[in-house]
């Protein structure tokens, strides 16, 4: 008997008990669907983190406000802006490993152009910000020195903001927009950096302080909300971080043993660590999902043993008519494989549908690749071979004489 004939006989036998076949496949369906879904969601999360790492730029350190003490009470991180533009200048001048640095403040506001408007992040910064993040222009120019020093009424738009405010084919450069009733000239449009990064409008730091964000209680003339700095080489990151910490402790007059009022972080390293954690959790979930395959395999083995018992006389007739032991073994092994393959195919469809539904409802990114589907199907085939072998072997060992005596 050939493999094709074995599958044909198996399909015919399974059609005789459709309900039992469906219930037997259920464990395989759940296991395969779980593996595909976990892989899709885990891969999507890793892709999003990779996108965020690329959007930050290479060799970037971020300095954020830390905890401060006021009246003997420790305030939470970021409750007071502790960095200044003078700190930015000192980092540039005194730490040779730093190629570029910029201080920024940010808030949200409605951006208006003619009849269109869009709510977005307004970031007040300097041209150094774009150098640190390796952020190129799609058109136009960066801020000039006079615009940065004199609170120029100019703005550089992220690609999302430009898309929302201007019609296709319309050139934003030179156009007038309004932010909080202040007219600004669009001097540049940035290249795409990623969905989360492109929804922003940049104005000179002095402009943001004087016209938009300076009224906040924790912002004074010299304050910045955070500082980003670009290190010349990857091998200098640790040394540059230590030098920045020592410099800022000295500038902020922090006594030995007292907690820093700032935090120097390597966001790319933190995200890579997070990516490793996501990968570990995904593998753990896949291992848990594989238990469903194990349960499904045991169910298939039990059903196949019952099937062998029920069809003992059929096996005896086939053996008496010249059927070989390997033919009987192949017949029942094919039945187990068909159950697993059908369950695997249904499980893949269910997993793809479930992952797309979860992504749509939760706003997550999912990535379904051929490797995940192939791995899930390979698991289901292996389950059929492993748990189908014993019943098939048991059937092939039946004595034809004893089998024919069975009522």
């Amino acid at each position: 008997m050939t493999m094709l004939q074995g599958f044909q006989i198996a399909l015919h036998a399974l059609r005789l008990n459709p309900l039992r076949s469906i219930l037997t496949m259920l464990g395989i369906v759940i296991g395969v669907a779980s593996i595909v879904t976990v892989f899709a969601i885990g891969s999507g999360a890793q892709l999003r983190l990779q996108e965020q790492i690329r959007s930050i730029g290479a060799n970037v350190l971020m300095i954020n406000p830390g905890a401060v003490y006021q009246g003997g009470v420790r305030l939470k991180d970021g409750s007071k802006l502790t960095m200044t533009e003078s700190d930015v200048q000192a980092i540039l001048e005194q730490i040779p490993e730093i190629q570029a640095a910029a201080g920024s403040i940010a808030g949200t506001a409605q951006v208006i152009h003619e009849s269109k408007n869009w709510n977005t992040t307004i970031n007040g910064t300097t041209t150094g910000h774009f150098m640190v993040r390796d952020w190129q222009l799609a058109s136009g120019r960066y801020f000039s020195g006079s615009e940065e020093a004199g609170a120029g009424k100019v703005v550089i738009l992220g690609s999302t903001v430009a898309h929302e405010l201007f019609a296709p084919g319309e050139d934003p450069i030179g156009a007038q927009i309004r932010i909080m009733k202040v007219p600004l000239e669009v001097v540049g449009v940035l290249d795409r950096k990623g969905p989360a990064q492109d929804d922003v409008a940049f104005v000179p730091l002095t402009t943001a302080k004087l016209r938009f964000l300076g009224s906040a209680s924790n912002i004074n003339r010299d304050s910045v909300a955070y500082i980003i700095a670009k290190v010349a080489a990857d091998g200098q990151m640790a040394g540059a971080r230590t030098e920045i910490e020592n410099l800022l402790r000295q500038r902020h007059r922090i006594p030995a043993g007292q907690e820093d009022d700032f935090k120097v972080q390597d966001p790319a390293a933190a995200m890579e660590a997070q990516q490793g954690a996501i990968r570990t959790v995904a593998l753990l979930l896949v291992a848990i999902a594989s238990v469903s395959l194990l349960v499904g395999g045991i169910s298939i083995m039990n059903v196949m043993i019952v099937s062998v018992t029920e069809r003992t006389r059929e096996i005896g007739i086939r053996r008496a008519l010249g059927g070989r032991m390997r033919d009987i073994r192949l017949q029942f092994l094919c039945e187990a494989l068909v159950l697993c393959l059908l369950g695997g195919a249904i499980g893949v469809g269910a997993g793809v549908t479930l992952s797309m539904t979860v992504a749509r409802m939760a706003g997550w990114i999912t990535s379904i690749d051929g490797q995940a589907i192939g791995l899930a199907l390979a698991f289901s085939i292996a389950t059929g071979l492993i748990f189908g072998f014993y019943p098939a072997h048991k059937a092939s060992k039946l004595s034809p004489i004893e089998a024919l005596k069975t009522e």
Side-chain angles (χ1 to χ4, degrees), residues 24-29 290-305 336 339-340 379-380 382-389 391:
T24 304
M25 289 189 295
L26 195 57
I28 302 297
V29 172
S290 299
V291 174
S292 297
L293 288 176
L294 178 63
V295 172
I298 294 172
S299 175
I300 286 173
M301 184 171 66
N302 290 335
V303 169
M304 293 302 299
I305 290 174
L339 282 171
C340 288
F379 271 129
S380 65
T383 301
L385 289 172
I386 293 170
F387 290 95
F389 180 79

Side-chain angles (χ1 to χ4, degrees), residues 112-124:
I112 302 169
H113 172 64
E114 296 179 350
S115 61
K116 296 183 178 181
N117 67 89
W118 183 253
N119 188 272
T120 189
T121 300
I122 309 300
N123 192 312

Side-chain angles (χ1 to χ4, degrees), residues 217-371:
S217 60
N218 61 345
I219 295 178
N220 59 45
R221 186 173 181 179
D222 200 32
S223 294
V224 293
Y226 65 92
I227 299 171
I228 54 175
K230 185 176 183 63
V231 181
D234 185 58
Q236 298 175 333
M237 290 287 284
R241 178 174 181 168
T242 301
E243 289 187 52
I244 289 174
E245 290 172 345
N246 293 336
L247 175 63
L248 292 181
R249 284 186 65 87
Q250 179 185 351
R251 287 182 54 81
H252 295 186
R253 297 181 174 85
I254 299 173
Q258 183 172 320
E259 186 178 357
D260 295 339
D261 62 358
F262 60 89
K263 291 187 176 181
V264 183
Q265 298 171 317
D266 181 353
M271 288 180 183
E272 286 173 358
Q274 188 178 356
Q275 190 173 25
I278 289 174
R279 191 181 301 112
T280 301
V281 171
L283 290 175
L284 177 62
L285 292 175
V286 167
I288 294 172
S290 299
V291 174
S292 297
L293 288 176
L294 178 63
V295 172
I298 294 172
S299 175
I300 286 173
M301 184 171 66
N302 290 335
V303 169
M304 293 302 299
I305 290 174
V306 172
S307 179
V308 168
T309 304
E310 291 176 347
R311 295 157 64 185
T312 300
R313 188 171 180 80
E314 173 194 332
I315 295 168
I317 293 171
R318 292 199 64 197
R319 290 294 308 278
L321 293 175
R324 295 167 296 182
M325 292 176 61
R326 68 180 185 183
D327 294 331
I328 304 299
R329 187 185 300 115
L330 181 62
Q331 175 188 344
F332 284 92
L333 196 58
C334 283
E335 287 187 24
L337 281 174
V338 167
L339 282 171
C340 288
L341 284 172
L342 287 175
I346 296 170
V348 167
V352 171
T353 303
L354 180 60
S355 60
M356 292 175 66
T357 302
V358 169
R360 191 179 300 111
M361 293 178 63
W364 296 349
I365 294 176
T366 56
S367 175
I368 303 168
D369 57 21
Q371 285 186 334

Side-chain angles (χ1 to χ4, degrees), residues 30-79:
I30 294 172
V32 171
S34 301
I35 290 173
V36 172
T37 303
V38 168
F39 264 109
I41 294 174
S43 297
Q46 291 185 37
L47 285 174
R48 173 168 283 184
L49 279 175
Q50 289 170 3
E51 179 184 282
Q52 291 176 344
I53 290 171
R54 286 194 300 269
S55 70
I56 292 170
N59 303 332
V60 174
L61 292 173
M62 179 170 284
I63 306 124
N64 290 304
V68 294
Y69 289 85
Q70 186 171 312
V73 177
R74 185 182 186 275
L75 305 179
K76 66 178 182 179
D77 291 353
S79 57

